[in-house]
């Protein structure tokens, strides 16, 4: 019998208990920075050192943190289900936890790419500075989708979400499009589980939505246990 397909859409709240700041909570990443200065092509053109240092700080921090029990529980789901993780997060904590199919809608902190050849992507875990260049001498930049840039994997993510027998949404304020639109690609009968201590959706908004008003670490492991028991 084919395995049920579970699609998990995660946001910054998924990694909060690993020690990585979210964007819009109190003391979030955007509180200390002007988004357009550190996460936009215009900002990079205006002050590349500032942007490179912003991502260097986040890359250094990612080297120090580990997946939390929520990441690990999602990886366990693969024992019984066909699981795809569609994440807005640029950390690699889902991969570190053992999830084998992760789609990064907004890019990856441990990758960089040429400013001229967007297909020239390198694994990169150290600081990136001006003068770090590609094969043709063009500057390397973070492999991150900045505000105003296209989301190349959106269609892939939408196709995956359409296949979901179960959709789980964890730790996202649902404020950034097009990522937030993915919830509408699930069939209206598809059970949706929304895990967030301050949920921004109402159960009445969707056909089959269960809100779990807990953190990822509190709410995901019990949800995984429940899914194992419901779906033999
Ligand atoms: N467990 C689960 N959810 C949490 C936790 C936690 N421990 N702590 C906070 N949250 C929730 C918050 O309640 C909020 O709903 O996580 C969500 C974080 O929202 P944002 O900070 O807006 O992060 P996110 O939704 O991922 O932002 C989307 O915006 O700035 C861009 O590219 C950036 O990918 C990011 C996108």
């Amino acid at each position: 019998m084919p395995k049920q397909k579970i699609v998990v859409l995660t946001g910054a709240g998924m990694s909060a208990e690993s020690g990585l700041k979210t964007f819009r909570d109190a003391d979030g990443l955007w509180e200390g920075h002007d988004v357009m200065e550190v996460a936009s092509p215009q900002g990079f053109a205006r002050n590349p050192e500032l942007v490179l240092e912003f991502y260097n700080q986040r890359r250094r921090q990612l080297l120090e943190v580990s997946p939390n029990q929520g990441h690990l529980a999602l990886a366990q789901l693969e024992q019984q289900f066909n699981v795809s993780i569609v994440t807005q997060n640029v950390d690699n904590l889902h991969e570190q936890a053992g999830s084998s199919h992760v789609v990064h809608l907004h890019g990856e902190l441990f990758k960089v790419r040429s400013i001229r050849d967007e297909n020239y992507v390198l694994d990169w875990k150290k600081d990136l500075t001006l003068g770090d260049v590609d094969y043709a001498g063009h500057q390397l930049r973070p492999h991150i989708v900045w505000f105003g840039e296209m989301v190349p994997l959106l269609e892939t993510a939408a196709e995956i979400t359409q296949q979901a027998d179960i959709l789980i949404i964890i730790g996202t304020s649902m404020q950034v499009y097009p990522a937030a639109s993915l919830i509408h690609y699930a069939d209206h009968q598809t059970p949706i589980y929304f895990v967030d201590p301050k949920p921004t959706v109402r159960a009445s908004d969707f056909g089959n939505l269960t809100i779990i008003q807990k953190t990822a670490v509190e709410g995901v492991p019990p949800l995984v246990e429940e899914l194992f028991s419901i779906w033999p």
Side-chain angles (χ1 to χ4, degrees):
M1 178 168 130
K3 289 183 179 180
Q4 295 283 336
K5 176 76 180 178
I6 295 186
V7 178
V8 190
L9 173 59
T10 63
M14 182 78 233
S15 300
E17 285 154 291
S18 292
L20 296 181
K21 280 185 177 179
T22 64
F23 292 95
R24 296 173 181 83
D25 285 318
D27 189 31
L29 265 176
W30 295 149
E31 250 179 39
H33 298 86
D34 171 345
V35 173
M36 294 312 284
E37 272 191 9
V38 293
S40 75
Q42 298 80 358
F44 185 62
R46 198 168 30 248
N47 187 343
E49 289 93 340
L50 175 71
V51 173
L52 292 176
E53 183 50 24
F54 175 65
Y55 287 96
N56 287 343
Q57 287 172 14
R58 294 176 67 191
R59 200 178 293 109
R60 283 183 225 129
Q61 189 189 26
L62 180 53
L63 289 167
E64 303 297 323
V65 301
S66 305
N68 60 53
Q69 289 305 317
H71 293 107
L72 294 168
L74 292 176
Q76 293 302 314
L77 268 179
E78 294 189 11
Q79 291 169 13
Q80 198 163 313
F81 298 91
N82 173 0
V83 182
S84 291
I85 311 265
V86 175
T87 186
Q88 297 169 88
N89 300 339
V90 294
D91 65 57
N92 69 336
L93 296 177
H94 284 300
E95 291 90 338
Q96 286 190 47
S99 289
S100 60
H101 186 218
V102 183
V103 175
H104 286 272
L105 280 177
H106 294 162
E108 299 180 61
L109 206 46
F110 280 162
K111 289 184 177 167
V112 299
R113 73 165 184 264
S114 160
I115 59 170
R116 183 63 66 86
D117 174 1
E118 62 185 24
N119 297 312
Y120 185 75
V121 179
L122 298 174
D123 289 330
W124 197 279
K125 292 193 174 180
K126 59 189 181 190
D127 281 6
L128 180 66
T129 55
L130 282 183
D132 290 326
V133 295
D134 69 8
Y135 54 88
H138 301 301
Q139 177 64 42
L140 296 171
R141 57 162 276 182
H143 187 48
I144 301 285
V145 177
W146 284 332
F147 283 92
E149 293 188 315
M150 296 291 288
V151 177
L153 292 175
L154 177 67
E155 192 178 333
T156 302
E159 285 164 7
I160 290 169
T161 308
Q162 283 175 326
Q163 298 161 8
D165 296 311
I166 300 168
L167 178 62
I168 304 174
I169 301 174
I170 308 167
T172 175
S173 62
M174 302 289 280
Q175 286 184 45
V176 172
Y177 286 78
S181 66
L182 286 173
I183 189 170
H184 301 294
Y185 283 87
D187 182 278
H188 71 283
Q189 295 293 347
T190 301
I192 302 175
Y193 297 90
F194 196 94
V195 182
D196 195 306
K198 289 179 280 177
T200 54
V201 291
R202 292 186 307 268
S204 56
D205 292 346
F206 299 91
N208 190 350
L209 178 68
T210 303
I211 291 178
I212 301 170
Q213 192 159 349
K214 292 182 178 175
T215 70
V217 167
E218 293 160 350
V220 176
L223 172 59
V224 166
E225 288 309 314
E226 182 188 329
L227 292 173
F228 278 144
S229 64
I230 296 175
W231 302 74

